[in-house]
């Protein structure tokens, strides 16, 4: 049986968990041949990289050098043995290397959204490199972590179904915040206190504005939209109509602490929206919509009836995604579950790796 | 690029839809080389089979002969060209041929539950033939039709997650019946009238006992259980603890019409269950459970709170499946949507075919 050689870039929370899962595969067809942290590279195609990888990596005398690593990985490709680069970073610089890797015959698997939601020219370069070299890129974990979102969408499209609308709660952070904040009752905890609590529990970025700006959702929508059909009409995630939740007076506040300190000034605004929704028998949810029939891709706060699955079925920091298609109509295909976290993200990456077998 | 040659057995509702979808794939890597109905075989590796396949098949002078077809398909296998048999029947006889096909190097894709939920010895023969010949069998559409159920379960297991419990509404017919019958209110339409209406709409088999016996659910649970880990402990779907909904006095009634005529005699029994559930704030749902930690596989009527997704989120004849795992805990991974119908079943089969590329 042919081997698949795996080079991991990024050994943080997701990277470490991925390595752990990879090394636990029974009778593994995968061989871990390289690790790169922000400071060091370990290239070890002959000596196995084991569960003591942290020591092995810190003993490596080689500085992090992804370009030279690329050359050495390329040399490992044979007609039967595949080489895969797993990018577990969230780096734009690493994402920019995908065309190089793919055109070198290296497959790319990643939960990093940057390359697929950045400039259309980079995305096009990735598609072209993949096609011409026959190397694949797989990115299940970029949307919904380990949930089967990208694969389901690809299956729908490949088999000739027509996507009418994708609608969902794509951010675990936004899900958590609004599941707490808006339950259908006109009152409840202050918006600032829910955000502050979410931050203390580690559900938000250190600077909550990095969640409340909606960019994470806009990036995921860009990826879904391009998975349906690559089109320059979305030049990058910045082209998505995104209704940020950052009060304009708080735009550009440099630290998360300052942001949290000032957020209570705007509680009344959020309360008014919650109350209005409740009076209509609705809840507030931060959702993303891709509507190919209208050519619409947008992220923002919307109202849903308290009987809608976004109100009744969601809890914790769940994602929920509804695929409305010609075949799944009038009732959509729905996928729901934890959409963030190291274990489920790493699982999505490893599941992609199995697809290369 | 290498070709995948496809032989279709069974050209009924699902088979016809599958052929339609297959012939619509743009720039198709698939070549339809054979069709077999219950009466005829068309083997046509050189002359393309087109959208006029019904005429082509009826013009064929060859009687249906799956054994001789097998020999001819085997001869088409090359190191680069795969040959796949797509079984769109629900036949036990065809299912019994999978070990022969697989050991001949022919891949098998099917929505037919029979082989995977029948005797353990047949299932074991399939596993062994697949392993020794390196030919794959894919059966996404056996559970939930086009919904990503089997693939999701495989990904969870492959990546080392531990399945704690799978719980779901697996029968579109049972879903439809109980979504109508039990809504949380103590009263409502009579059970017999809901079943009768479902039958008129074509949601049940001609003989509703074939749905109400729960065998379809037991078969699906057997498949899921074996996908987690093959084990002789389930000798066949008959080993699943299945609480049939057929009143014992109506067991063995030969025709659907007679069955429907007598079902009202038992409305009071069902009403009592509905009322009891409503008094506890619950609804009735016919569910299947696979619990590997308890070693339990069972199908039957259960009560769920009116706030549970099985009560709030279900509609039409939707399937809903919850995967409780070590990683997806305490909140499960959920997949929901239409779990029956020719278009979505054929889609699941075609998606499996793309996985062989």
């Amino acid at each position: 049986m042919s081997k698949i050689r795996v080079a991991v870039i990024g050994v943080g929370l997701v990277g470490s968990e991925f390595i752990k899962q990879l090394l636990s595969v029974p009778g593994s067809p995968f061989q871990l041949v390289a690790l790169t942290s922000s400071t060091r590279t370990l290239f070890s195609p002959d000596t196995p990289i084991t569960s003591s990888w942290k020591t092995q990596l810190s003993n490596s005398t080689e500085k992090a050098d992804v370009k030279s690593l690329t050359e050495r990985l390329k040399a490992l490709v044979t007609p039967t043995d595949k080489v895969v680069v797993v990018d577990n970073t969230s780096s734009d610089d690493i994402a920019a290397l995908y065309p190089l890797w793919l055109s070198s015959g290296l497959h790319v698997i990643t939960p990093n959204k940057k390359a697929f939601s950045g400039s259309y020219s980079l995305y096009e370069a990735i598609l072209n490199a993949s096609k011409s070299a026959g190397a694949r890129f797989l990115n299940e974990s970029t949307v919904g972590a380990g949930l089967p979102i990208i694969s389901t969408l690809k299956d729908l499209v490949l088999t000739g179904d027509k996507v009418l609308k994708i609608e969902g709660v794509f951010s675990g952070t936004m899900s958590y915040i609004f599941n707490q904040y808006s339950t259908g009752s006109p009152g409840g905890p202050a918006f600032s206190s829910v955000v502050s609590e979410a931050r203390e529990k580690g559900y938000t970025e250190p600077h909550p504005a990095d969640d409340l700006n909606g960019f994470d959702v806009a990036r995921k929508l860009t990826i879904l939209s391009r998975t349906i059909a690559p089109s320059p009409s979305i030049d990058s995630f910045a082209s998505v109509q995104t209704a940020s939740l950052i009060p304009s007076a708080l735009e550009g506040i440099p630290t998360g602490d300052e942001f949290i300190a000032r957020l209570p000034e705007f509680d009344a605004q959020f309360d008014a929206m919650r109350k209005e929704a409740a009076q209509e028998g609705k809840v507030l949810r931060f959702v993303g919509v891709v509507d190919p029939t209208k050519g619409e891709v947008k992220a923002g706060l919307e109202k849903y009836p308290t009987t809608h699955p976004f109100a009744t079925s969601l809890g914790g920091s769940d994602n929920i995604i509804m695929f409305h298609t010609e075949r799944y109509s009038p009732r959509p295909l729905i996928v729901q579950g934890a959409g963030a976290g190291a274990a489920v993200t790493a699982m999505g990456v490893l599941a992609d790796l199995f697809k290369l077998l």
Side-chain angles (χ1 to χ4, degrees), chain A residues 41 43 62-74 100:
Chain A
T41 289
F43 179 70
E62 190 186 341
K63 289 223 170 105
D65 182 346
V66 182
K67 291 270 165 99
S68 112
L69 177 66
T70 302
E71 289 307 310
R72 285 176 289 171
L73 291 174
K74 206 169 146 177
L100 169 69

Side-chain angles (χ1 to χ4, degrees), chain A residues 175-227:
Chain A
S175 179
Y176 179 84
I177 289 173
F178 285 98
N179 294 342
Q180 304 294 315
Y181 181 67
S182 178
T183 58
S185 136
F191 185 71
S192 61
S193 72
V194 172
V195 173
S196 172
E197 192 201 314
R199 184 178 182 234
E200 277 157 29
K201 289 189 175 166
Y203 285 141
T204 72
E205 299 290 329
H207 195 323
D210 292 337
D211 292 298
L212 296 178
N213 60 19
F215 288 177
D216 172 71
V217 177
R219 285 189 181 276
K220 289 168 178 166
L221 298 177
T222 303
I223 295 170
L224 293 178
S225 181
R226 288 175 174 173
T227 302

Side-chain angles (χ1 to χ4, degrees), chain A residues 91-100 115 122:
Chain A
S91 155
D92 271 308
D93 293 342
I94 300 292
L97 294 169
Y98 298 174
L100 169 69
L122 174 57

Side-chain angles (χ1 to χ4, degrees), chain A residues 92-113:
Chain A
D92 271 308
D93 293 342
I94 300 292
L97 294 169
Y98 298 174
L100 169 69
W101 287 336
L102 292 165
S103 57
S104 306
L106 308 174
H107 304 272
V108 174
I109 295 179
T110 185
N112 181 357
K113 291 182 278 290

